[in-house]
Amino acid sequence: HFIFNSLNSIQGFISTNDPFQAKRYLAKFARLMRLILENAREEYIPLENELDILRNYMELEKLSTKNKFEFAINLSDEVDPDNTEIPPMMIQPFVENAIIHGIKKKEGDGQIDLNFHLNQNVIVCEIVDNGIGRKASQESKTHVKKKHKSAGISVTKQRLEQLSIQTGHDISVQFIDLMENEQAL
């Protein structure tokens, strides 16, 4: 899904006759593909490798959305990114969802924060965004015929369930809507 979107972005830069941006995007895309392929063979990778992938991915999305959002990656002091290991590409599908279904549909600038901390020796990743919210995103989908069914989140949830069984730890995903006066924040 993400590769398809990336190639569409490159095509967009070419069709608008912006070779500088197309070359810039293609170079970032190639670097990201190399990082993904290097880590895909591993069952676990250092968190720092996953953070490199996420930074590169979000930079690509920023380019394709004409800098529509900013992002920050925050690690608490107890998280050592070089000595903490996680399965590869576990976080990216959730970040992609925040961008595609929340930030891209938002009027004005967006913000995505990835916050990492430990909770009883388990790493917790919180993805906080100021997109339009899940309810508004669902409502916008009902007005558009959808040809593509995304599987990124469901595949990742299955991977988390398998990991939970393998490790004996409760590994799960929670979606919490940030609301104020019944409006998404």
Side-chain angles (χ1 to χ4, degrees), residues 57-88:
Y57 170 71
M58 288 189 282
E59 286 294 334
L60 273 177
E61 287 293 346
K62 278 183 67 171
L63 279 175
S64 72
T65 61
K66 296 182 174 86
N67 294 314
K68 185 169 177 56
F69 68 95
E70 293 298 323
F71 68 89
I73 298 175
N74 308 301
L75 294 123
S76 66
D77 291 336
E78 72 261 10
V79 175
D80 180 355
D82 293 318
N83 293 312
T84 301
E85 291 195 335
I86 66 170

Side-chain angles (χ1 to χ4, degrees), residues 162-184:
Q162 290 171 348
L163 191 60
S164 204
I165 292 166
Q166 286 176 336
T167 64
H169 295 302
D170 180 26
I171 302 171
S172 60
V173 174
Q174 281 185 308
F175 294 95
I176 300 170
D177 295 311
L178 303 177
M179 307 290 282
E180 186 174 286
N181 298 327
E182 297 186 31
Q183 295 291 320

Side-chain angles (χ1 to χ4, degrees), residues 94-107:
F94 298 102
V95 174
E96 182 176 347
N97 255 24
I99 294 168
I100 291 173
H101 302 295
I103 299 296
K104 281 187 176 180
K105 296 177 181 179
K106 174 185 175 62
E107 289 185 30

Side-chain angles (χ1 to χ4, degrees), residues 6-126:
S6 295
L7 293 173
N8 276 340
S9 293
I10 294 167
Q11 184 179 15
F13 290 131
I14 292 169
S15 68
T16 59
N17 204 19
D18 192 346
F20 174 77
Q21 284 294 69
K23 287 178 189 176
R24 185 172 170 211
Y25 192 96
L26 193 54
K28 286 183 178 286
F29 178 73
R31 183 178 185 327
L32 179 59
M33 287 293 92
R34 185 175 51 85
L35 288 171
I36 289 171
L37 291 172
E38 284 174 358
N39 290 292
R41 292 184 292 268
E42 305 297 328
E43 191 173 349
Y44 292 93
I45 61 172
L47 177 59
E48 186 56 44
N49 291 19
E50 185 77 354
L51 296 178
D52 283 346
I53 291 169
L54 290 167
R55 281 184 201 100
N56 278 276
Y57 170 71
M58 288 189 282
E59 286 294 334
L60 273 177
E61 287 293 346
K62 278 183 67 171
L63 279 175
S64 72
T65 61
K66 296 182 174 86
N67 294 314
K68 185 169 177 56
F69 68 95
E70 293 298 323
F71 68 89
I73 298 175
N74 308 301
L75 294 123
S76 66
D77 291 336
E78 72 261 10
V79 175
D80 180 355
D82 293 318
N83 293 312
T84 301
E85 291 195 335
I86 66 170
M89 294 296 287
M90 195 62 78
I91 300 166
Q92 186 275 337
F94 298 102
V95 174
E96 182 176 347
N97 255 24
I99 294 168
I100 291 173
H101 302 295
I103 299 296
K104 281 187 176 180
K105 296 177 181 179
K106 174 185 175 62
E107 289 185 30
D109 294 332
Q111 177 69 38
I112 299 175
D113 295 320
L114 278 62
N115 303 314
F116 294 85
H117 66 275
L118 288 180
N119 182 5
Q120 299 177 357
N121 284 339
V122 175
I123 189 143
V124 175
C125 172
E126 296 175 339

